[in-house]
C-alpha cells in the first residue's frame, strides 16, 4: 500500500486499522485516505513538507515545524498511526509520547530546560519579548510536571 | 477582548476568523496572573494543527481535557474536503445537474441544439464580422496615420472599444454598468476584482484602458503584442523576481503621463472564482495616485465565467462562453479613493478590497493569490 493508487481495498483498510490499533473506524480511514490523496498532489504515496505547508491553517500554526518533523514523508499507514494519537480512544501514554516528541526540540530523547524555552518561544513568539521569557532563568523556579493519572 | 465565536451554521464556515489561527492561550482574558503552564500548554495548538492537516470543520465541538499534558480530542471527524479557505477560492463550482428527469431532459436537449446549432454559428459570424471590420480599419489607421499621433490614438482607442463590443456581443453579454464612467485624467489608477480574462474585455468595451498583464503564449500573446500595445499596456513575468521593480517603474511613468490611457490593474494578480476576493497586491496602491475601484459580479445562472486557468485554456474557455446562453454581469464604478494620512499602502489596499467586496457581494479571504502557483516558502509564514 506504499504506492499511491487511488483504490483502497477492504484488505488495505483493515491493515491500516490494525496498524493504528483500531483507533479509527473504517469510515474514518476512508475519509482520511481521501484527505491524504488530496494533500499528496503528485501522487507519490507520501506527503512532502511543502504539501503540508500548502494548507494555510497549518503553515500559520506555531508548532508546524515540530509536527512537520514527525509527519514529513509518512506513507498512509504511518500517517493514520500518527493521527491516531488525537483520537478520543487513544491511550494516555500514547498522547504523552506525542507531546513529549513535540517538546523535545533537539530530539535527544529528553525534555530539557532548553527544549522548554524553545517551545515557549515558538508559542509566544510575537506576544512576549525575550526579556519576559527570562523569567524561566530565575533560580529556584520549579517546573512541576503533572501527568493526570486516571 | 472579544471572545472567539464558534458558530455552527454552514454559512459561517466561509468566514475564516483570523483569531482562530492564533493559539488560544494568547486570547485568554488577563484574569490576574498569566500562568506559565498555560503558556506552555501545547494541546490547543496541536489540535488546531492536526485539525488543519485533517481539514476538520471549525464549527465542530472540540473537547478540552484539562491539565498540562493533554491532547484535545477531534470528535466526529467530519471530512468536508477542500474546505480549507485557500482551496475554496479557486474551486470551480460545477453547476448542480437539474436536467435528470423525463420532463426537463428533453427541454435541456432542445436547449443544447439551440445553443450549439443556432446561437454558436451566429456568434461566430458576428465575431468574424467584427474582426474583419476591425482589422480593415485598424491596419490602415496604424500605418497611415503615423505622423498624426493624437488622431491615431483616438481612432485606435475607438477601434479597440469596438472589437471588445463585438467580443461581448459574441457571448451575448448583458452588462449593466453602474456609476460614472471613467474619465481620462492623470494620476489615477483603476482597480478591479478578477474572475477571468473577459473582465478586461468587458471593461474595455466601455473605456479603452491600458492594462498590466501577464504575457500569455499563443494567439492571445499575439493580440497582446500588437493591438494592446497601441492602447499602452505593460507586461510582466510572474516568475521573475527582479521584474517587480521594473514594472513598478513603468507603472509610475504611465500614471504620470497626461495623455496615456487610464491604467487598469487587477491587484489580486490571478483569477478568483467570483465568490471571494484574495489579498490585493500593494503595487497599485503605492503609486501615489487616486485609486478608483471597480467591482464586477457575474450572474451564475447563465454561465459561470470563472476561468480556471489550470483546467482550461483560454480558447476552450471562450468556446464555453460562446455556447452558453448569455454572460450576465454587473459592473460598478465606485468612488475614487485616496491614501489617507497615516495609512500604509497595505491598509489602503485592504480598505479598497473591502469596498469592492461589499459592493459585489464577495467574501474576503486573507490569502495571497500567488500561492495558487507556488507552494508557500518559509518567508510567507508568520515569524
Amino acid at each position: 500500500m506504499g504506492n499511491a493508487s487511488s483504490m483502497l481495498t477492504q484488505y488495505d483498510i483493515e491493515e491500516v486499522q490494525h496498524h493504528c490499533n483500531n483507533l479509527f473506524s473504517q469510515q474514518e480511514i476512508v475519509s482520511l485516505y481521501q484527505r491524504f490523496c488530496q494533500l499528496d498532489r503528485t501522487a507519490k504515496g507520501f506527503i512532502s513538507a511543502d504539501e503540508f505547508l500548502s494548507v494555510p491553517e497549518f503553515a500559520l500554526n506555531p508548532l508546524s515545524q515540530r509536527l512537520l518533523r514527525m509527519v514529513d514523508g509518512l506513507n498512509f499507514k504511518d500517517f493514520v498511526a500518527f493521527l491516531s494519537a488525537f483520537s478520543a480512544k487513544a491511550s494516555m501514554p500514547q498522547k504523552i509520547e506525542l507531546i513529549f516528541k513535540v517538546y523535545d526540540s533537539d530530539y535527544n530523547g529528553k525534555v530539557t530546560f532548553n527544549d522548554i524555552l524553545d517551545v515557549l518561544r515558538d508559542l509566544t513568539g510575537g506576544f512576549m519579548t525575550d526579556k519576559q521569557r527570562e523569567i524561566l532563568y530565575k533560580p529556584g523556579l520549579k517546573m512541576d510536571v503533572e501527568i493526570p493519572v486516571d | 477582548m472579544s471572545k472567539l465565536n464558534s458558530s455552527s451554521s454552514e454559512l459561517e464556515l466561509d468566514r475564516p476568523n483570523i483569531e482562530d489561527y492564533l493559539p488560544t492561550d494568547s486570547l485568554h482574558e488577563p484574569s490576574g496572573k498569566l500562568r506559565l503552564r498555560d503558556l506552555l500548554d501545547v494541546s490547543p495548538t496541536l489540535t488546531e494543527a492536526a485539525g488543519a492537516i485533517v481539514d476538520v470543520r471549525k464549527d465542530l465541538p472540540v473537547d478540552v481535557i484539562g491539565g498540562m499534558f493533554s491532547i484535545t480530542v477531534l470528535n466526529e471527524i467530519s471530512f468536508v474536503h477542500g474546505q480549507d479557505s485557500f482551496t475554496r477560492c479557486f474551486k470551480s463550482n460545477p453547476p448542480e445537474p437539474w436536467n435528470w428527469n423525463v420532463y426537463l431532459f428533453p427541454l435541456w436537449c432542445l436547449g443544447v441544439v439551440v445553443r450549439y446549432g443556432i446561437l454558436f454559428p451566429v456568434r461566430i459570424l458576428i465575431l468574424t464580422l467584427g474582426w474583419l471590420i476591425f482589422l480593415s480599419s485598424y491596419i490602415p489607421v496604424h500605418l497611415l496615420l503615423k505622423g498624426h499621433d493624437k488622431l491615431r490614438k483616438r481612432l485606435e482607442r475607438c477601434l479597440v472599444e469596438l472589437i471588445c463590443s463585438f467580443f461581448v456581443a459574441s457571448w451575448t453579454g448583458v452588462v449593466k454598468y453602474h456609476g460614472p464612467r471613467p474619465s481620462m485624467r492623470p494620476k489615477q489608477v483603476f482597480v478591479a476584482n478578477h474572475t477571468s480574462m473577459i473582465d478586461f474585455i468587458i471593461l474595455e468595451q466601455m473605456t479603452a484602458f491600458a492594462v498590466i498583464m501577464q504575457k500569455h503564449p499563443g494567439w492571445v500573446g499575439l493580440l497582446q503584442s500588437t493591438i494592446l500595445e497601441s492602447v499602452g499596456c505593460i507586461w510582466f513575468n510572474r516568475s521573475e523576481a527582479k521584474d517587480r521593480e521594473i514594472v513598478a517603474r513603468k507603472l509610475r511613468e504611465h500614471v504620470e503621463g497626461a495623455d496615456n490611457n487610464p491604467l487598469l490593474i487587477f491587484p489580486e494578480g490571478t483569477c478568483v472564482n467570483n465568490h471571494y476576493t484574495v489579498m490585493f497586491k500593494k503595487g497599485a496602491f503605492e503609486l501615489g495616485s487616486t485609486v478608483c475601484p471597480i467591482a464586477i459580479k457575474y450572474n451564475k445562472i447563465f454561465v459561470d465565467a470563472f476561468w480556471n486557468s489550470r483546467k482550461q485554456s483560454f480558447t476552450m474557455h471562450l468556446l464555453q462562453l460562446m455556447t452558453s446562453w448569455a454572460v450576465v454581469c454587473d459592473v460598478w464604478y465606485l468612488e475614487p479613493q485616496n491614501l489617507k494620512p497615516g495609512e500604509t499602502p497595505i491598509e489602503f489596499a485592504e480598505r479598497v478590497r473591502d469596498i469592492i467586496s461589499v459592493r459585489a457581494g464577495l467574501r474576503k479571504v486573507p490569502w495571497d493569490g500567488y500561492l495558487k502557483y507556488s507552494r508557500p516558502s518559509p518567508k510567507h509564514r508568520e515569524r
Side-chain angles (χ1 to χ4, degrees), chain B residues 48-202:
Chain B
E48 278 166 19
I53 294 178
V54 153
D55 206 17
V56 178
R57 289 171 47 167
K58 289 237 170 342
D59 55 348
L60 285 183
V62 169
D63 209 310
V64 181
I65 312 170
M68 187 164 179
F69 288 106
S70 61
I71 303 186
T72 50
V73 165
L74 295 178
N75 288 336
E76 270 185 69
I77 310 181
S78 159
F79 298 93
V80 193
H81 293 296
Q83 290 301 303
D84 61 87
S85 45
F86 187 67
T87 318
R88 259 184 277 149
C89 292
F90 301 105
K91 253 170 51 162
S92 320
N93 301 307
E96 312 263 322
W98 53 270
N99 51 6
W100 303 118
N101 75 27
V102 170
Y103 175 63
L104 293 173
F105 189 65
L107 280 180
W108 177 76
C109 286
L110 186 63
V112 170
V113 166
V114 169
R115 277 189 288 137
Y116 283 81
I118 302 176
L119 288 181
F120 184 56
V122 169
R123 287 172 179 171
I124 296 269
L125 269 172
I126 294 179
L127 198 57
T128 325
L129 186 66
W131 274 107
L132 283 172
I133 297 179
F134 174 72
L135 286 172
S136 59
S137 325
Y138 185 81
I139 295 178
V141 166
H142 192 72
L143 297 173
L144 298 176
L145 291 179
K146 265 283 159 59
H148 316 268
D149 268 351
K150 257 210 131 80
L151 181 62
R152 180 167 67 98
K153 276 202 181 294
R154 213 149 54 89
L155 284 179
E156 282 176 353
R157 260 199 287 267
C158 290
L159 284 176
V160 170
E161 286 177 22
L162 182 74
I163 186 64
C164 288
S165 310
F166 268 102
F167 258 112
V168 173
S170 78
W171 329 303
T172 317
V174 179
V175 188
K176 215 157 164 223
Y177 295 94
H178 311 258
R181 307 292 175 260
S183 51
M184 279 218 357
R185 243 183 285 160
K187 304 286 267 170
Q188 72 176 356
V189 182
F190 288 84
V191 301
N193 60 311
H194 200 28
T195 302
S196 161
M197 283 256 279
I198 67 175
D199 288 343
F200 167 64
I201 300 181
I202 287 176

Side-chain angles (χ1 to χ4, degrees), chain B residues 93-96 98 108 115 274-275 297-306 320 323-329:
Chain B
N93 301 307
E96 312 263 322
W98 53 270
W108 177 76
R115 277 189 288 137
N274 211 228
H275 288 288
K297 178 78 176 156
Y298 292 89
N299 189 332
K300 279 189 65 169
I301 297 179
F302 296 94
V303 77
D304 184 357
F306 171 48
Q320 189 202 346
T323 53
S324 314
W325 290 108
V327 173
V328 179
C329 68

Side-chain angles (χ1 to χ4, degrees), chain B residues 17-38:
Chain B
N17 189 351
I18 204 72
E19 289 163 293
D20 286 344
Y21 305 128
L22 298 172
T24 46
D25 303 277
S26 56
L27 293 170
H28 277 164
E29 301 285 344
S31 54
K33 299 190 200 152
L34 189 61
R35 296 189 298 174
L36 189 60
R37 64 174 287 167
D38 293 326

Side-chain angles (χ1 to χ4, degrees), chain B residues 216 219-220 307-320:
Chain B
H216 284 274
W219 63 271
V220 183
W307 177 38
N308 193 336
S309 55
R310 288 182 297 174
K311 272 199 186 159
Q312 338 169 271
S313 69
F314 190 55
T315 321
M316 284 311 299
H317 176 63
L318 272 189
L319 285 176
Q320 189 202 346

Side-chain angles (χ1 to χ4, degrees), chain A residues 24 28 31-32 34-35 38-39 41 50-65 67 71 79 82-83 85-86 88 92 95-96 98-99 102-103 116 119-125 127-128 135-136 141 143-148, chain B residues 16 18 21-23 25-26 36-50 52-55 58 65-77 79 81-88 310 367 371-372 375-376 380-383:
Chain A
F24 284 123
E28 288 171 332
S31 302
L32 276 170
Q34 286 169 353
R35 178 59 176 169
Q38 193 187 52
L39 287 173
R41 273 169 245 209
D50 54 349
E51 281 164 346
F52 274 113
L53 288 175
S54 70
V55 180
E57 287 89 339
F58 182 78
L60 283 183
N61 192 297
L63 296 178
S64 55
Q65 286 307 310
L67 283 174
V71 88
F79 177 70
F82 170 78
L83 287 176
F86 290 89
M92 193 53 82
K95 291 182 190 263
I96 293 179
L98 174 62
I99 297 194
V102 170
Y103 272 102
I116 305 240
V119 172
L120 185 62
R121 196 176 293 128
D122 277 348
L123 287 179
T124 61
F127 300 99
M128 273 175 87
I135 185 180
L136 287 180
L141 188 71
M143 298 268 266
D144 281 333
V145 169
E146 288 173 21
I147 303 176
Chain B
I18 204 72
Y21 305 128
L22 298 172
D25 303 277
S26 56
L36 189 60
R37 64 174 287 167
D38 293 326
L39 284 178
L40 283 173
D41 190 358
V42 290
S43 52
T45 321
L46 257 190
T47 314
E48 278 166 19
I53 294 178
V54 153
D55 206 17
K58 289 237 170 342
I65 312 170
M68 187 164 179
F69 288 106
S70 61
I71 303 186
T72 50
V73 165
L74 295 178
N75 288 336
E76 270 185 69
I77 310 181
F79 298 93
H81 293 296
Q83 290 301 303
D84 61 87
S85 45
F86 187 67
T87 318
R88 259 184 277 149
R310 288 182 297 174
W367 307 122
L371 288 180
K372 191 170 98 172
R375 306 276 168 62
H380 268 120
R381 299 185 344 248
E382 292 283 348
R383 226 344 155 189

